[in-house]
Amino acid sequence: MELTGADIVVRCLQDEGIEHIFGYPGGAALHIYDALYKNDHVKHILVRHEQGAAHAADGYARATGKPGVVLVTSGPGITNAVTGIATAYMDSTPMVIVSGQVATHLIGDDAFQEVDAVGITRPCVKHNFLVKDVRDLATTMKKAFYLASSGRPGPVLVDVPKDVTAHTTEYIYPSSLSMRSYAPVNKGHPKQIRRATDLLLNAKRPIVYSGGGVVLADAEEELRELVRLLGYPCTSTLMGLGAYPAGDPLFLGMLGMHGTYEANMAMHGCDVMLAVGARFDDRVTGELSKFSPGSKIIHIDADPSSIGKNVRTDVPIVGDAGRVLADLVADIKARTQKPDEQAIEQWWDRINEWRRVDSLAYDRESELIKPQEVVEALYSATGGEAFVTSDVGQHQMWTAQFYGFKQTRRWINSGGLGTMGFGLPAAMGVQMAHPGATVACVTGEASIIMCIQELSTCRQYDLPIKIINLNNRYMGMVRQWQEFFYDRRYAHSYMDALPDFVALAEAFGHTGMRIEKSGDVEGALREAVNLKDRLVFLDFITDQTENVYPMIAAGAGHNEMHLHPGIGAPPRERELA
Amino acid sequence: MRHIISVLLENEAGALSRVAGLFSARGYNIESLTVAPTEDRSLSRMTIVTSGSDEIIEQITKQLNKLVDVVKLLDLTGGAHIERELMLVKVKAEDQAREEIKRLVDIFRGRIIDVTDSTYTLELTGTVEKLNAFVKALEITEIVEVVRSGGTGIARGDRVLAV
């Protein structure tokens, strides 16, 4: 049967098993919207700004592992989505963006709402296409989903001119395809795996450094099995939290700029590091010349270009994290040699000394609401089972530190690009994917304003998100840097003329609460979580002066952390063996 | 160190800008870049002359391979190879200089491909070093215009870059 290009786009989504897409209509996309109107399988969620559509699809994808889908129009439609696409790109989220384009005969004429979508998105997509012939449309859509979801995932844009959506052709959705120029490697090289096992079994001071790639590969079981088999300490990046459960004795917490003392000291002092699905980001490594001196590094990654990019690697293994870890476990089990029990015990003794520093301590006696206590109370009010999104800044770090994630895909934040405004629309995507689940968006009064219009979308689709606004009347992380590094010159980090968030939430048709006393925190959270059918905006008036600790300043190494002033100096370090 | 990287890529609109964009976005050097379709019209062959430390060159080849349009690549510098560049030069050629320039062109095994009363247009093919040496030698007259194609290359012997 012949279909129009617009019908083909929608049928491709249907045949790809896509249930929800996020978008905003406009001239060049109207044929596609008309096709959606006639389709019962693909549900479209109308956002209030295209950035929101991209973040919502991103949140949806991160919470499910399935590709998120965005539909926008040409010109400002796609440019508004670019921040969301770049956010997805930096965190390797599988996403397909369909953008309307002006008709092919107008391309290059500076037509109304024309922008070079392929050109403008090129640096922030895994790949993109301009479809000039309706006969190429179905195959291109198939390629887009294949590229977005395989290897190291990422966003893929399909730009479709309006006349192409009107033309007709026979519709055949390819069941599979092969591309001569694209063949992701999934199985790790057996020789490299044997070398990795040799290093791991001979280690005296090992550490497992796990990242977002483990989440993307759904490799948490394999990771847990490996860590428990060896009994080695495990730390995680911001993006990998939940893959190894917080609270487990082998878990050292998050590492990096705001990582725990024990995680960073162990990274600094280790002799063998197994990095899996992590990319040695500058927020993780600190000053590269001081990073983990004297360790041998095994690096497992789906993307060969991540290996050796920032840090020299002794054993590179390209492959899918789950498959490589499973092969590694099998190889370790097949060996007669076991880990050096005595050395590992001594290593744990060191680590436990570092743990006793209690680097996440904060003043629990304060009458002011401490942001950390709000996150801890959120954990208990939700039984640690919530899906938690965040924006970017101090609240993001406190959430990472204090909500002990025990499962993957529960912690959804913009780690790579650091996009303020991500939290609320991402939470919409998560809530669409998991209608019955508790979805909390931990945010700050600066971040939440950046995509506040999405409160209207939440009303339209009855999304009962809990917004936890840690309101310190400052762009907190900016203020913290200005306090530490700019001699307390708080240039434009103060949020003057803030709205009344309770009234604002109510104006959008939601429930608002303001919490000003420490004693009211837990009760308010429990009440909000129990309001299962409503979005609740909780405005917590928090201590303005609280900072995120520990902190590794620019140019410093992992062993040069600033600790909370209340903790005092850490115990003197013995020389590393 | 200077490297010559040959790349086979899909002959698609935008493939060139993906490569050019990669080099500018990541701050890699490009000394020259040439591209043209191959005998298989679905493929283009690109030659990139670049420079950098071993780590940078490793990243360049990995990042190029990561581009979905790139089918295959070969760092020619890793083995024996032949490098050629084409140059067209227009020079002032008057009075006795005409003879001198002609002798110079013969020495460098170039050709005079166009002549006017006052100019010669010269063609020369060779390695970058040879072309540079020729330009230097032409200081005996006034150079009006220089056009260089950028380096291209092919591996010696059995080593090939083909699909």
Side-chain angles (χ1 to χ4, degrees), chain B:
Chain B
M1 190 187 152
R2 185 169 173 273
H3 282 249
I4 307 170
I5 301 171
S6 285
V7 186
L8 280 177
L9 66 168
E10 299 287 355
N11 185 10
E12 302 263 0
L16 170 62
S17 54
R18 289 183 208 280
V19 174
L22 168 68
F23 275 73
S24 64
R26 293 192 183 267
Y28 304 140
N29 296 318
I30 298 187
E31 192 178 295
S32 71
L33 186 156
T34 69
V35 62
T38 65
E39 78 287 1
D40 172 353
R41 301 295 296 182
S42 71
L43 286 172
S44 292
R45 179 154 174 151
M46 180 183 277
T47 309
I48 303 165
V49 181
T50 182
S51 59
S53 63
D54 290 351
E55 291 77 25
I56 299 264
I57 298 297
E58 184 188 327
Q59 265 300 307
I60 289 175
T61 57
K62 283 176 167 179
Q63 294 289 347
L64 282 169
N65 266 316
K66 195 167 142 180
L67 293 177
V68 171
D69 281 337
V70 168
V71 182
K72 236 177 182 181
L73 64 78
L74 179 65
D75 184 351
L76 293 178
T77 329
H81 63 280
I82 299 153
E83 183 191 342
R84 289 291 181 272
E85 184 174 358
L86 169 72
M87 178 166 69
L88 305 174
V89 194
K90 194 171 285 180
V91 291
K92 273 257 170 71
E94 289 166 332
D95 309 329
Q96 316 94 301
R98 291 176 83 85
E99 262 313 299
E100 263 184 77
I101 295 165
K102 193 167 179 319
R103 270 201 303 278
L104 205 57
V105 170
D106 288 341
I107 292 166
F108 276 87
R109 295 173 203 276
R111 296 194 298 156
I112 299 173
I113 54 173
D114 190 39
V115 178
T116 70
D117 289 350
S118 58
T119 65
Y120 279 160
T121 302
L122 317 174
E123 174 192 322
L124 188 72
T125 307
T127 62
V128 169
E129 291 76 24
K130 178 179 166 182
L131 267 48
N132 290 344
F134 185 59
V135 172
K136 183 114 185 30
L138 283 173
E139 281 173 4
I140 54 166
T141 182
E142 184 185 332
I143 296 174
V144 181
E145 195 177 351
V146 176
V147 184
R148 295 176 71 150
S149 66
T152 59
I154 193 163
R156 282 190 186 274
D158 294 336
R159 212 157 65 109
V160 291
L161 174 63
V163 174

Side-chain angles (χ1 to χ4, degrees), chain A residues 192-268:
Chain A
Q192 297 295 74
I193 288 171
R194 287 197 297 276
R195 288 182 60 210
T197 304
D198 292 341
L199 271 183
L200 284 169
L201 290 177
N202 288 309
K204 310 277 184 218
R205 301 184 308 279
I207 190 160
V208 177
Y209 151 45
S210 159
V214 174
V215 177
L216 290 164
D218 291 315
E220 62 272 19
E221 288 310 322
E222 291 84 352
L223 174 75
R224 291 170 191 197
E225 188 178 1
L226 177 87
V227 170
R228 286 168 183 159
L229 175 68
L230 293 166
Y232 290 175
C234 178
T235 180
S236 169
T237 68
L238 178 72
M239 300 312 295
L241 292 175
Y244 200 86
D248 185 288
L250 300 181
F251 188 61
L252 306 186
M254 182 172 75
L255 82 164
M257 182 174 271
H258 295 296
T260 64
Y261 188 70
E262 53 270 32
N264 286 334
M265 291 303 285
M267 283 292 280
H268 187 80

Side-chain angles (χ1 to χ4, degrees), chain A residues 56-97:
Chain A
D58 192 339
Y60 186 93
R62 294 187 204 217
T64 60
K66 294 190 281 190
V69 179
V70 179
L71 174 60
V72 293
T73 192
S74 64
I78 184 62
T79 56
N80 275 346
V82 165
T83 297
I85 297 170
T87 304
Y89 181 66
M90 287 292 274
D91 290 341
S92 307
T93 302
M95 183 189 282
V96 171
I97 306 99

Side-chain angles (χ1 to χ4, degrees), chain A residues 152-166:
Chain A
R152 180 179 181 176
V156 178
L157 174 102
V158 183
D159 198 31
V160 193
K162 188 163 186 182
D163 55 332
V164 173
T165 61

Side-chain angles (χ1 to χ4, degrees), chain A residues 243-448:
Chain A
Y244 200 86
D248 185 288
L250 300 181
F251 188 61
L252 306 186
M254 182 172 75
L255 82 164
M257 182 174 271
H258 295 296
T260 64
Y261 188 70
E262 53 270 32
N264 286 334
M265 291 303 285
M267 283 292 280
H268 187 80
C270 70
D271 70 340
V272 172
M273 180 191 304
L274 172 65
V276 50
R279 60 186 177 88
F280 296 87
D281 177 83
D282 57 283
R283 286 296 195 266
V284 159
T285 60
E287 171 60 38
L288 277 174
S289 62
K290 298 175 180 174
F291 176 71
S292 196
S295 64
K296 295 249 188 256
I297 297 177
I298 305 158
H299 189 179
I300 303 168
D301 207 288
D303 176 3
S305 73
S306 279
I307 299 178
K309 184 175 67 179
N310 300 336
V311 169
R312 69 197 155 71
T313 302
D314 298 281
V315 182
I317 308 177
V318 178
D320 170 77
R323 282 191 69 171
V324 174
L325 287 172
D327 288 348
L328 202 47
V329 166
D331 191 36
I332 292 167
K333 283 182 174 168
R335 302 285 181 104
T336 46
Q337 188 186 353
K338 299 294 164 217
D340 182 339
E341 219 172 282
Q342 199 189 345
I344 301 301
E345 201 183 306
Q346 284 174 5
W347 178 227
W348 273 112
D349 288 344
R350 295 276 301 284
I351 290 170
N352 288 328
E353 265 179 54
W354 293 326
R355 269 184 170 156
R356 278 192 286 277
V357 169
D358 192 13
S359 61
L360 298 183
Y362 65 92
D363 177 10
R364 290 170 191 273
E365 308 304 317
S366 168
E367 284 180 18
L368 297 170
I369 297 178
K370 290 287 182 181
Q372 299 96 324
E373 76 169 291
V374 179
V375 177
E376 287 185 325
L378 176 67
Y379 180 90
S380 53
T382 56
E385 295 286 321
F387 288 84
V388 182
T389 73
S390 88
D391 277 298
V392 171
Q394 288 184 317
H395 68 268
Q396 177 188 26
M397 292 300 116
W398 284 316
T399 312
Q401 291 174 333
F402 289 92
Y403 197 100
F405 291 95
K406 292 186 167 56
Q407 299 167 71
T408 56
R409 304 195 178 281
R410 299 283 163 139
W411 166 231
I412 288 155
N413 78 122
S414 167
L417 197 67
T419 308
M420 290 169 72
F422 175 81
L424 175 57
M428 302 188 320
V430 177
Q431 191 80 74
M432 288 305 306
H434 301 290
T438 302
V439 180
C441 165
V442 181
T443 183
E445 79 291 341
S447 284
I448 191 67

